[in-house]
Structure formats: C-alpha cells, structure tokens
Amino acid sequence: MATPLEKAHKDPESMKARILAVACRIFGEYGFHGTTTRMIAQEVGIDISTLHYHWGEKKDLYEAVILDINKDLGQKLIDVEKIIHGLPLSERMAIAIDTMTDYFFARPEISNIMLFRYIAKTRDNVDLRVPEFTADIARSMGLTRNSPHHTPPRAMLEVLAVMNAIHNFISGENFFRPMVNLEREEYIKTVKETLKFVLIPAFVQREGET
Amino acid sequence: MATPLEKAHKDPESMKARILAVACRIFGEYGFHGTTTRMIAQEVGIDISTLHYHWGEKKDLYEAVILDINKDLGQKLIDVEKIIHGLPLSERMAIAIDTMTDYFFARPEISNIMLFRYIAKTRDNVDLRVPEFTADIARSMGLTRNSPHHTPPRAMLEVLAVMNAIHNFISGENFFRPMVNLEREEYIKTVKETLKFVLIPAFVQREGET
DNA sequence: TATTCTTTCCATCATTTGATGGAAGCAAAC
DNA sequence: GTTTGCTTCCATCAAATGATGGAAAGAATA
C-alpha cells in the first residue's frame, strides 16, 4: 500500500486532489493575483482552513498546480511523439496539432496558466518546464539536425510560435468565439483548420528545399 | 485653445497623462488584479489620492488605458495599411510583420494588456476594439474577397493567428529570451525572422493556387 | 492683496484577503 | 469505552488595498 501522501496524490476523490483540480481551474481563469483562496475553497465546498491544512500557503498551492501541469503535459508530449514518430513532416504536424488542440481544449486551464506565466511578472522559483519541452519538440520536429545536442534559438522560437498559436485560441475562446459567432464545436473545428493552414506550409516548404 | 481636459489628454507632461502612461505599463506587467493603485502612484511619485482625483476609481483608470490603446493601435494600423497598399502579398505581410513587431516591442504594454484581456476573466463594459481591427486587417490582407461586407470566421481566425503570434513574443520576452540566451537586439531580429518564416508561406501558397 | 479655483497630500475607513489557533467531529486502534 | 491521530470548521487576526474627507499648498484672477 502506498503512503497516505501518495494515496492523496493519486486518488482523485481525496480532498487534497479535489482542491488541486479546482485550484488549477480557478488559477487558470483569474491568474494568481485574481484568484483568492476563498474562491477555491468555496468552489470545493470547504473552509479556507481546510485548504491551508492540505496545501499550506497560497503560493505553495500554486506551485503544486504548476508541477501537476508539468507532469501531465510532459506525459502527453511523450505520447504524441510515439504516435507521430516516423511519419512524414506534414502528417506529423497535422496529427500533433489536432491532438494537442483537443488536449488543451479539454484542459484549458493548462493553456491559461502557461500564457499567464509568460506575460505576467512573478517571483516564483518552481517553474514550467517549457524550455525542456520546447527543446524536445524541436528535436521531434527535426529542427536540430545540425546540432543534435543543442537547440538553436531559431528552432526554439519556431516551436514556441507553434505551441503558443494553439494556446491562444484555447485561452482566448471566451473572447474570440463571440467575435466569429460560432458554436463551440464549430469553433474548435475551425481553429484546427486554421492552425494547420497557417503553421504547416512553412516547415514543409523548407524541408523540400534541402 | 483647447479645453483643460483636452489639454491634459494631449500634454504628456500633465499629471493626468503621466498617470495614464505609468498605469498602462504597470497594468501590462501585472494585470488588473496584480496591479495596486499604490504601485502606480508610487511609480509616478504621487499620493494615491492624487491618482483618484484625476482618474476616479481603479476600474475607470483601467478603462482609460484600454481606450488609449485602442486609439493608438488603430492609428498605427491605418498607417501600416497606407504603406503596404498595392504591394504583393508576401511583401505586404513582411513589412506589416516587421513594422508591427517593432511597434509592439516599443510599447510592450499593449501586447501585454491585449493578451491579458484575452485570457483573464473580467466584467468590463469598455473593451478592446479587436473585432473591428481584425476585420479591417482581414480586408487589408485580401481575405474577404468573396464577401466584402462580411468577414468569414476562417479569415478572422487567420488574422488573429498572425496578430497573436506577434504579441506572444513581445509579452513573453522575459520568459523566452533567457530560454534562447539572446541579447535583446538579437532576440528581436530572430523573432522577426521566425514570424515571417512561419506566417507568410501559407498565405502566399494559397494565393498562388487561385 | 484678497479671493477663488485647482491640485496635492495626510490621516483615516471599510473591505478584502492570506493566514492561524483551537475546538469539534470522526474513524481506527487499543 | 477510551485513547489516539487525522480532518474539518468557526472565530479571529494582521496586513494589504481601494477609496474618501478635509486640510494645506499653489496658481490664477480680480
């Protein structure tokens, strides 16, 4: 049997896990400063003291959310890499965009928190593992052919351009969807089409030139 | 002579204008909730009461910032449109990307506040004129050829993809630049190259197909 | 100079918010 | 049944924060 701590971490019914899930959503919606511990506690249906009992102070809970996202997203990227491995570039990108878009639409808090972290000033120590993930994806996309153990700035930025394009449409849904007046399903479908249209040709074209 | 209000609005030395400029920067750095009126007042070097005297409550000041951005950005888009009018698509996009990237790097608060507005929940009435701007750009890019008086969702999302790609690299500079370990000038240069590389081919390719 | 109007600051409030101590509840072990 | 340890909640605190009233300072005008 696992230790109580591990159990609490794994059992989604445990109070600790329930708090973490709600915290992830609320932090994603309102950002760190826009979120109050009372908002989270109320959403879970508990007292603030119970929240502090399980997770300590607000910043600790936020860091736990970051770590949770790192774990989940890291695993997802590994899964996708396995699926697309060996396929031609245009297919790899199409599948990756479709899959990751579905994933983020299902867990929009992840896109929200990542974008918040990019643009807002904070003083955290624990951090998103974006540098590692970005380098991994660059390798997976074949952008590091000339320097397998180092990721050139240009390759990093290209990957970030792709990833962030996805995040924007997920996090911006509340703002963009009324603009284009589409139902959710239709919005998701159009977002995927647009992303694939805009992002894939550049890379395919360059690959053909070598 | 202009009214005192207009004067205060135009004279960048006036207290009201100074507060607005600082507010724009601080709101951009920390978001609405992450910003306190005391932070703004301290940065300007005045008492909070003076701030409230000129701009009323915090939300009013924030709305003034939004209106200011709308005005400035709207004018910039008109200027760019004049410059690129008539040129071939690939050149139009290259110049627009270069120009707008320089513009946002010079005023990163604009990118910050726009991205904040996309992802964070608020209950504002006054709003960014993103829908209008987006439709204008779509028209300028020739994406509404088949329906000149209506902007199809797909065209809107394509424009948003381009605009947001720029915003991401400006607002994310503090996060991304250490990742790629570049000096500021080099970062800006690489960002422009990357944006043009990723964003232009898709549109040029489609235009060639018609 | 005296008067009036504008601008700025000091002192202070009420509310919100992060955080804690201690009592009460509850289940498992003895 | 009693004890022990874990969990939850109530009451409360201290600090941060948005906001205001009124006095003081300054500028413009008669």
Side-chain angles (χ1 to χ4, degrees):
Chain A
M1 184 57 193
T3 70
L5 184 73
E6 287 170 3
K7 183 188 168 193
H9 233 50
K10 283 169 184 165
D11 178 9
E13 293 304 314
S14 74
M15 180 57 68
K16 198 168 179 177
R18 278 171 58 203
I19 296 172
L20 187 68
V22 171
C24 191
R25 200 180 77 242
I26 309 283
F27 276 131
E29 285 180 2
Y30 297 92
F32 180 78
H33 292 292
T35 300
T36 69
T37 54
R38 280 171 174 80
M39 287 166 66
I40 299 172
Q42 188 177 4
E43 194 80 1
V44 180
I46 56 171
D47 189 272
I48 358 168
S49 329
T50 305
L51 187 149
H52 281 96
Y53 170 77
H54 284 287
W55 287 107
E57 59 181 50
K58 184 185 177 185
K59 194 160 274 184
D60 294 334
L61 176 55
Y62 185 72
E63 290 186 358
V65 167
I66 298 288
L67 289 176
D68 194 53
I69 287 178
N70 281 334
K71 211 180 77 180
D72 208 82
L73 178 56
Q75 186 56 52
K76 185 69 187 177
L77 290 174
I78 290 173
D79 293 347
V80 172
E81 162 64 15
K82 277 182 191 157
I83 294 173
I84 64 179
H85 187 262
L87 296 174
L89 179 60
S90 66
E91 276 184 58
R92 285 214 303 283
M93 289 195 66
I95 294 173
I97 290 173
D98 276 335
T99 310
M100 294 312 294
T101 304
D102 279 330
Y103 171 72
F104 290 126
F105 264 115
R107 302 198 53 185
E109 326 87 51
I110 295 182
S111 289
N112 290 347
I113 288 180
M114 297 192 75
L115 287 181
F116 262 122
R117 179 63 190 84
Y118 294 161
I119 64 179
K121 282 200 174 177
T122 59
R123 318 92 190 166
D124 296 338
N125 295 328
V126 173
D127 221 327
L128 296 164
R129 287 181 43 212
V130 175
E132 295 88 330
F133 291 158
T134 306
D136 287 347
I137 296 171
R139 203 168 304 122
S140 165
M141 283 177 70
L143 303 179
T144 56
R145 230 175 291 173
N146 297 327
S147 44
H149 298 300
H150 168 254
T151 315
R154 181 59 194 274
M156 294 287 276
L157 293 192
E158 286 174 10
V159 172
L160 286 172
V162 173
M163 292 301 293
N164 291 339
I166 302 178
H167 289 314
N168 286 327
F169 284 121
I170 277 85
S171 292
E173 179 180 353
N174 291 329
F175 194 96
F176 300 143
R177 196 148 64 79
M179 277 176 58
V180 293
N181 195 31
L182 293 177
E183 296 300 311
R184 183 138 208 274
E185 287 307 310
E186 200 64 23
Y187 177 74
I188 295 178
K189 185 164 154 273
T190 314
V191 162
K192 286 185 191 173
E193 288 172 5
T194 306
L195 286 170
K196 284 181 283 188
F197 163 74
V198 173
L199 299 175
I200 296 179
F203 295 92
V204 172
Q205 197 172 77
R206 179 171 59 187
E207 196 192 41
E209 286 169 1
T210 60
Chain B
M1 184 57 193
T3 70
L5 186 71
E6 286 169 4
K7 184 187 167 196
H9 232 48
K10 282 168 186 167
D11 177 10
E13 293 305 313
S14 75
M15 181 56 70
K16 199 168 178 179
R18 278 172 57 204
I19 295 172
L20 187 68
V22 171
C24 191
R25 199 181 78 242
I26 308 283
F27 276 131
E29 286 180 1
Y30 296 91
F32 180 79
H33 292 293
T35 300
T36 70
T37 54
R38 279 172 175 79
M39 286 166 66
I40 299 172
Q42 188 176 5
E43 195 79 1
V44 180
I46 56 171
D47 190 90
I48 357 168
S49 329
T50 306
L51 187 148
H52 281 96
Y53 170 77
H54 284 287
W55 288 108
E57 58 182 50
K58 184 184 177 185
K59 193 161 274 183
D60 294 334
L61 176 56
Y62 185 74
E63 290 187 357
V65 167
I66 298 287
L67 290 176
D68 194 53
I69 287 179
N70 281 335
K71 210 180 77 180
D72 207 83
L73 178 57
Q75 186 55 52
K76 185 71 188 176
L77 291 174
I78 291 173
D79 294 347
V80 172
E81 162 63 16
K82 276 181 190 157
I83 295 172
I84 64 179
H85 188 262
L87 296 174
L89 179 60
S90 64
E91 277 184 56
R92 285 214 303 284
M93 289 194 66
I95 294 173
I97 289 172
D98 276 335
T99 310
M100 294 311 294
T101 303
D102 279 331
Y103 172 73
F104 289 127
F105 264 115
R107 302 197 54 184
E109 326 86 52
I110 296 182
S111 289
N112 290 346
I113 287 179
M114 298 193 74
L115 287 181
F116 261 122
R117 179 62 190 83
Y118 293 162
I119 64 178
K121 282 200 171 175
T122 58
R123 317 91 190 166
D124 296 337
N125 294 328
V126 173
D127 222 326
L128 296 165
R129 287 180 44 212
V130 175
E132 295 88 330
F133 292 158
T134 306
D136 288 346
I137 296 171
R139 203 169 305 121
S140 165
M141 283 177 67
L143 302 179
T144 57
R145 230 174 291 174
N146 298 325
S147 45
H149 298 299
H150 168 254
T151 315
R154 180 58 194 275
M156 293 287 277
L157 293 192
E158 286 174 10
V159 172
L160 286 172
V162 173
M163 293 299 295
N164 291 338
I166 302 178
H167 289 313
N168 287 326
F169 284 121
I170 278 85
S171 292
E173 180 181 351
N174 290 331
F175 194 97
F176 301 143
R177 196 148 64 79
M179 277 176 57
V180 293
N181 195 31
L182 293 178
E183 296 300 312
R184 183 139 208 273
E185 287 307 311
E186 201 64 23
Y187 176 75
I188 295 177
K189 183 164 157 272
T190 314
V191 161
K192 285 184 188 172
E193 288 172 6
T194 306
L195 286 171
K196 284 182 282 189
F197 163 74
V198 173
L199 298 175
I200 296 179
F203 295 91
V204 172
Q205 197 174 77
R206 179 169 61 188
E207 197 191 40
E209 287 170 358
T210 60

